[in-house]
Amino acid sequence: MDRENSSPTRPKWRKVAYGGMQPGYDDNYTDDSFLEGMVTNANVVKRDLMKVMRDSVSISQYLCIVVLVGVVWTYTLNSSLSEKSLLLIDASLLMSGFVILLLTEKMLSLNQLLHYLANVAFFTSELYVLAPIYRTLTTSISSDSIWAVTVSLMIIHLFLHDYARSTVHASGTWKNPTLTSCISLNASIVASVFVASRLPSSGYVFAIMLFSLVIFLFAPLVTHCIKKRSFCLHLLFSFVLMAVSLAFVYKLHRVLFFMFLVLLVFVSVVCPYWLIRIQEYKFEINGPWDEAKLCFDVTD
Amino acid sequence: MSRKNLSPSTLKPPSNLPPRSTVAPAPPPSQPGNADGLMGDRERHRILMVCDFFYPNFGGVESHIYCLSQCLLKLGHKVVVLTHAYGNRSGVRYMTHGLRVYYIPWRPFLMQNALPTFYGTLPIMRTILVREKITLVHGHSAFSTLCHEALMHARTMGYKVVFTDHSLYGFADVGSIHMNKVLQFTLADVSQAICVSHTSKENTVLRSGLPPEKVYVVPNAVDTAMFTPAPEIPRSNDEIVIVVVSRLVYRKGADLLVEVIPEVCRLYPHVRFVVGGDGPKRVRLEEMREKHFLQDRVEMLGAIPHSRVRSVLISGHIFLNSSLTEAFCIAILEAASCGLLTVSTRVGGVPEVLPDDMVVLAEPDPVDLVRAIKKAITILPTIDPQDMHKRVKKLYDWHDVARRTEIVYDRAMKCPNQNLLERLGRYLSCGSWAGKLFCLVMIIDFLLFCLLQLVQPANDIEEVPDMVMALGEGSSAGDDIPGQSSR
């Protein structure tokens, strides 16, 4: 350390731990080779603003879907949407979803479709049987707490939602969904149960539950399939959705409309720009102390 | 956690009390040239070793603290160990050569770690520090919460502190970011720090932002008296036994073993494997054994008590270490001390541990590891176990480690005393948010310390008379560190 000019013949320092203290060098000697093995920012990807903005459309799209669900909930709770029209919406959504799946998913066979239909029929009948229970589930709880919990659950849902993939997969491509996406899905379903429990009749409860489940379970799958099929179609679909949801929210409430618009701009313009800006602060450190990565797949 | 519960070391935790007759009060510590004549004109330190991990728990850190303490005792320093209670082992215990161990009644909550309470341990630590007239606190392992708390309190009370880092840590995931911040907090005000290898030093400097000249490299050592090669009996040359002793977990590279063992068995019909250790990956190894019909060539021993590690090691010719991360790796040192040729992955501090002709290194992928084993098998006839043992004996010695640690202590004692305000500046520079938080933590600690001084003045705390071993109590022999076993 501070013996730079001790003796000209002192041996070269070696990066070894054996052999006791190296003659001529203190234990806190820091060689010129110190941190030679450090690599910074090895895996940093340069991001392109346009690409990030295009990718953020998925998020805005899902936001619109959730907002539309909220609109339907509000209209149902106001009783401005009849039971029959709700059921009609359910049926048409289910049908269009199947059609889109059929058109986009090449692997889907008739056999699989029948399997799907049987599942949906089973699920629907079960929901119908359980509807009276849902209706009286929260009668002893005040409406205010229900709204508060529902809103917070929906926020949790949006925060933890897996925007890159869909939690529910087409059969055959089963992969483990992540914990957060499962929590997100469950939060949305609990929120739907809470909303449904404030409705006057079992028919309403059944219709709204079916609606919420169809959207929360299958909408990510359908949008995912569309995106896989063609990105242009995905963009088009998203912009249509945005326009429709903005129109509905505008009809519902001016302030909400304004907030929603700001949110959409924030998600699809401000956030991508922000991400690009903070990229320059990214600092990755790798070196010999890192845990080695195995070059093969480890399956337990 | 990189801590092993199966350490291939055979130093046993002697927990029995030495007979009363061998203990005698020491002369007052204020006299520099004291009676036992061991110290000469050197400064005599009174060191408190703090770590959550100590006997009866077993691992690399535990044996490090024990061996270091024993050697420091022999150098004439006073050493006291502080750890949390293990089961019903609570209170003060004595180990070989009067090493006093405080098991403070503080229950572990996760992986033998005490619950982090920030200030809960302040009163008992202060009492122990005053009682034992400690001059220097030495904390071990970044994973130990007790160590972090002790160092914090010791700095508040104005003691000099030294910290030893035993592990490597990455920078990428949330867990390591948190751990690195905690380490930064502890090391912000540490007098000197010690790492076990140069790679570990680089890692610690990066993680904590300490100036590199404050970080010393003092490696671990091996008790060569315990790990001796098999006595000279002509080994049958037609069979080669490869030994693996490690916990069978991901970080120890158990998955690499699953790929490597069948390939080596296929290439060399006269090679046998002995796998010692247990863990979640044992099932995979057993599956591999059945899939490739290797039941008679791969022996699975399960968990091995540390006392039997040597007997397992000397049954083989080559030691295979497949760790994915390792700060130092005592295991390969112990194998080399037993005269085995080591094949290891080139990770962390492993390349620094042994000279190139005593170990065959490979990248952590199956193909390269098989190549390294091939190379090891070809050079195996040139290896003389007795010679290997002698070389390790020359390269590593706990007494040398203790002497080097002593130098660090001397340097730490020379560090200038700083008041609270000067020290707060260091914490403040740790980060825009974290810095202020750290300052707050330290200020509260200081206020609590002042309160404690009012409630229980230091003069009221009874001081412990020093014990030194009576003459002739094995204080001359160099390699009798392992004490008498109590189990």
Side-chain angles (χ1 to χ4, degrees):
Chain A
M1 189 189 156
D2 46 2
R3 301 188 199 166
E4 261 12 287
N5 43 15
S6 56
S7 74
T9 55
R10 72 171 182 176
K12 205 173 171 326
W13 183 84
R14 290 172 306 153
K15 193 182 174 181
V16 291
Y18 52 82
M21 202 188 266
Q22 298 189 28
Y25 295 96
D26 277 354
D27 275 331
N28 63 347
Y29 172 75
T30 308
D31 195 62
D32 293 336
S33 68
F34 188 66
L35 290 181
E36 225 170 34
M38 182 170 82
V39 182
T40 51
N41 292 354
N43 314 317
V44 173
V45 193
K46 274 267 170 230
R47 283 172 208 275
D48 174 39
L49 182 65
M50 276 320 285
K51 191 176 181 309
V52 179
M53 278 173 75
R54 262 183 289 150
D55 286 347
S56 76
V57 168
S58 304
I59 300 174
S60 330
Q61 183 200 50
Y62 194 71
L63 271 176
C64 293
I65 292 175
V66 172
V67 164
L68 281 176
V69 172
V71 168
V72 171
W73 282 352
T74 322
Y75 280 135
T76 320
L77 288 161
N78 293 345
S79 313
S80 42
L81 205 62
S82 73
E83 205 180 311
K84 217 173 252 169
S85 44
L86 245 182
L87 283 172
L88 210 67
I89 293 174
D90 290 348
S92 53
L93 275 177
L94 261 177
M95 286 315 294
S96 51
F98 272 125
V99 170
I100 292 172
L101 273 189
L102 267 178
L103 289 177
T104 53
E105 197 90 349
K106 295 181 197 93
M107 307 283 284
L108 216 58
S109 63
L110 190 70
N111 205 357
Q112 240 174 354
L113 192 68
L114 282 177
H115 177 71
Y116 271 1
L117 281 177
N119 266 352
V120 167
F122 176 72
F123 209 73
T124 316
S125 49
E126 202 173 346
L127 210 58
Y128 189 73
V129 173
L130 287 174
I133 297 175
Y134 290 146
R135 188 173 60 84
T136 53
L137 197 65
T138 61
T139 39
S140 56
I141 301 170
S142 80
S143 292
D144 286 346
S145 359
I146 291 294
W147 304 140
V149 171
T150 308
V151 168
S152 29
L153 279 172
M154 286 319 287
I155 289 171
I156 290 174
H157 169 65
L158 284 174
F159 261 102
L160 300 181
H161 183 74
D162 190 352
Y163 293 96
R165 263 162 254 111
S166 101
T167 313
V168 180
H169 294 272
S171 57
T173 59
W174 191 81
K175 259 190 230 143
N176 268 335
T178 58
L179 175 72
T180 48
S181 71
C182 287
I183 294 173
S184 157
L185 185 63
N186 281 303
S188 67
I189 288 172
V190 173
S192 346
V193 171
F194 279 177
V195 168
S197 67
R198 310 312 287 184
L199 288 170
S201 77
S202 296
Y204 260 128
V205 171
F206 167 68
I208 203 84
M209 275 304 288
L210 189 61
F211 172 76
S212 316
L213 286 179
V214 163
I215 295 287
F216 288 129
L217 290 176
F218 297 126
L221 179 64
V222 169
T223 53
H224 188 64
C225 284
I226 293 174
K227 194 178 164 188
K228 249 193 343 200
R229 179 78 182 193
S230 129
F231 198 78
C232 281
L233 204 65
H234 165 71
L235 285 183
L236 189 74
F237 182 58
S238 308
F239 286 124
V240 170
L241 262 179
M242 277 183 216
V244 171
S245 51
L246 279 171
F248 270 110
V249 176
Y250 186 75
K251 258 177 76 183
L252 202 69
H253 206 289
R254 298 289 147 84
V255 178
L256 280 182
F257 167 77
F258 187 69
M259 281 167 67
F260 182 46
L261 194 65
V262 168
L263 182 69
L264 282 184
V265 171
F266 180 71
V267 165
S268 46
V269 181
V270 178
C271 282
Y273 180 68
W274 195 8
L275 181 73
I276 300 285
R277 280 298 301 274
I278 59 174
Q279 276 289 299
E280 61 186 271
Y281 299 111
K282 185 148 181 152
F283 187 50
E284 256 185 25
I285 309 173
N286 295 96
W289 48 81
D290 280 332
E291 195 176 288
K293 294 255 181 338
L294 292 177
C295 54
F296 49 90
D297 268 346
V298 180
T299 44
D300 271 309
Chain B
M1 304 282 283
S2 73
R3 312 199 41 270
K4 28 185 166 173
N5 55 27
L6 187 150
S7 159
S9 170
T10 59
L11 288 170
K12 286 187 205 76
S15 58
N16 52 344
L17 230 122
R20 273 281 153 200
S21 59
T22 65
V23 187
S30 51
Q31 301 172 1
N34 56 45
D36 50 14
L38 276 167
M39 296 300 295
D41 55 348
R42 283 177 303 160
E43 198 178 352
R44 189 181 179 216
H45 300 298
R46 308 169 65 88
I47 305 143
L48 180 73
M49 300 271 181
V50 190
C51 187
D52 268 312
F53 317 114
F54 198 64
Y55 298 133
N57 198 29
F58 209 92
V61 181
E62 289 84 343
S63 59
H64 175 101
I65 297 172
Y66 177 73
C67 294
L68 183 63
S69 303
Q70 289 298 336
C71 292
L72 285 170
L73 279 176
K74 252 175 227 161
L75 285 172
H77 301 288
K78 171 182 169 144
V79 184
V80 180
V81 179
L82 174 69
T83 185
H84 66 72
Y86 280 88
N88 58 2
R89 187 181 298 214
S90 174
V92 185
R93 303 290 166 112
Y94 290 86
M95 292 174 82
T96 318
H97 297 148
L99 174 66
R100 194 177 295 137
V101 185
Y102 282 86
Y103 290 91
I104 62 168
W106 212 260
R107 296 287 154 191
F109 85 113
L110 182 71
M111 289 188 276
Q112 288 305 344
N113 258 301
L115 185 74
T117 52
F118 288 102
Y119 307 115
T121 49
L122 176 60
I124 193 163
M125 288 222 185
R126 176 173 169 265
T127 310
I128 290 171
L129 286 167
V130 174
R131 261 175 71 85
E132 299 284 350
K133 290 170 281 176
I134 296 296
T135 56
L136 187 138
V137 179
H138 187 172
H140 289 266
S141 180
F143 290 123
S144 162
T145 51
L146 196 66
C147 159
H148 289 297
E149 286 188 19
L151 295 190
M152 176 173 99
H153 300 326
R155 282 307 291 159
T156 303
M157 295 166 69
Y159 288 96
K160 301 291 191 300
V161 301
V162 174
F163 172 79
T164 299
D165 202 353
H166 291 266
S167 39
L168 298 177
Y169 231 83
F171 297 91
D173 56 304
V174 180
S176 40
I177 290 169
H178 167 74
M179 278 298 298
N180 292 345
K181 218 62 198 171
V182 172
L183 188 77
Q184 198 181 14
F185 168 68
T186 303
L187 291 194
D189 199 23
V190 85
S191 311
Q192 306 287 354
I194 299 176
C195 290
V196 290
S197 64
H198 295 285
T199 307
S200 169
K201 173 175 172 176
E202 294 180 346
N203 186 240
T204 305
V205 167
L206 280 178
R207 286 160 66 197
S208 62
L210 270 183
E213 61 274 9
K214 265 181 118 177
V215 185
Y216 291 71
V217 176
V218 179
N220 282 312
V222 62
D223 186 14
T224 41
M226 292 304 294
F227 290 92
T228 49
E232 301 252 25
I233 40 161
R235 288 183 186 176
S236 57
N237 277 334
D238 46 312
E239 191 185 45
I240 294 172
V241 181
I242 301 180
V243 187
V244 178
V245 179
S246 101
R247 275 183 304 139
L248 301 178
V249 295
Y250 173 80
R251 283 171 68 112
K252 295 285 171 193
D255 302 288
L256 272 177
L257 291 180
V258 174
E259 305 287 320
V260 165
I261 291 177
E263 182 63 14
V264 173
C265 287
R266 193 179 62 79
L267 289 171
Y268 295 97
H270 58 290
V271 165
R272 230 160 39 79
F273 278 88
V274 175
V275 181
D278 206 345
K281 296 282 184 184
R282 187 177 174 175
V283 184
R284 281 205 73 203
L285 275 171
E286 278 168 358
E287 274 172 10
M288 172 275 294
R289 193 166 67 156
E290 268 163 47
K291 191 173 151 197
H292 296 274
F293 306 107
L294 295 171
Q295 284 91 339
D296 54 339
R297 295 183 57 195
V298 179
E299 197 181 344
M300 305 278 295
L301 298 175
I304 309 174
H306 17 276
S307 53
R308 271 193 56 224
V309 169
R310 179 191 169 249
S311 61
V312 175
L313 284 176
I314 60 169
S315 70
H317 307 86
I318 294 175
F319 180 78
L320 176 60
N321 169 50
S322 57
S323 285
L324 300 183
T325 175
E326 201 76 71
F328 182 80
C329 198
I330 302 189
I332 62 174
L333 208 54
E334 285 163 349
S337 180
C338 285
L340 274 72
L341 179 63
T342 305
V343 176
S344 174
T345 45
R346 190 184 282 115
V347 291
V350 171
E352 300 168 30
V353 174
L354 285 174
D356 292 338
D357 55 334
M358 292 171 80
V359 60
V360 183
L361 293 174
E363 295 307 320
D365 80 280
V367 179
D368 204 46
L369 209 52
V370 170
R371 179 202 57 78
I373 292 172
K374 272 187 202 164
K375 189 182 164 198
I377 288 172
T378 47
I379 65 170
L380 189 62
T382 64
I383 301 290
D384 174 21
Q386 300 296 337
D387 182 49
M388 191 81 122
H389 174 71
K390 279 188 200 121
R391 288 185 67 188
V392 173
K393 207 168 174 175
K394 260 190 226 137
L395 294 176
Y396 284 101
D397 182 14
W398 276 114
H399 294 289
D400 174 58
V401 171
R403 277 190 293 273
R404 290 162 76 176
T405 312
E406 195 184 20
I407 296 172
V408 181
Y409 291 158
D410 290 339
R411 298 258 170 96
M413 293 309 287
K414 287 202 188 86
C415 287
N417 284 315
Q418 286 180 308
N419 63 23
L420 182 68
L421 276 178
E422 286 171 310
R423 290 174 39 232
L424 283 183
R426 296 193 191 180
Y427 287 105
L428 205 56
S429 60
C430 285
S432 49
W433 288 97
K436 292 174 185 76
L437 198 71
F438 292 172
C439 282
L440 192 71
V441 169
M442 289 313 286
I443 291 169
I444 295 176
D445 201 46
F446 185 74
L447 292 177
L448 283 176
F449 169 59
C450 293
L451 183 76
L452 267 178
Q453 274 185 317
L454 281 179
V455 175
Q456 191 188 20
N459 293 337
D460 290 359
I461 300 173
E462 190 195 1
E463 289 179 352
V464 186
D466 281 353
M467 318 270 200
V468 289
M469 303 313 295
L471 286 173
E473 180 56 29
S475 58
S476 55
D479 37 12
D480 59 348
I481 309 156
Q484 54 277 58
S485 166
S486 63
R487 296 189 192 172

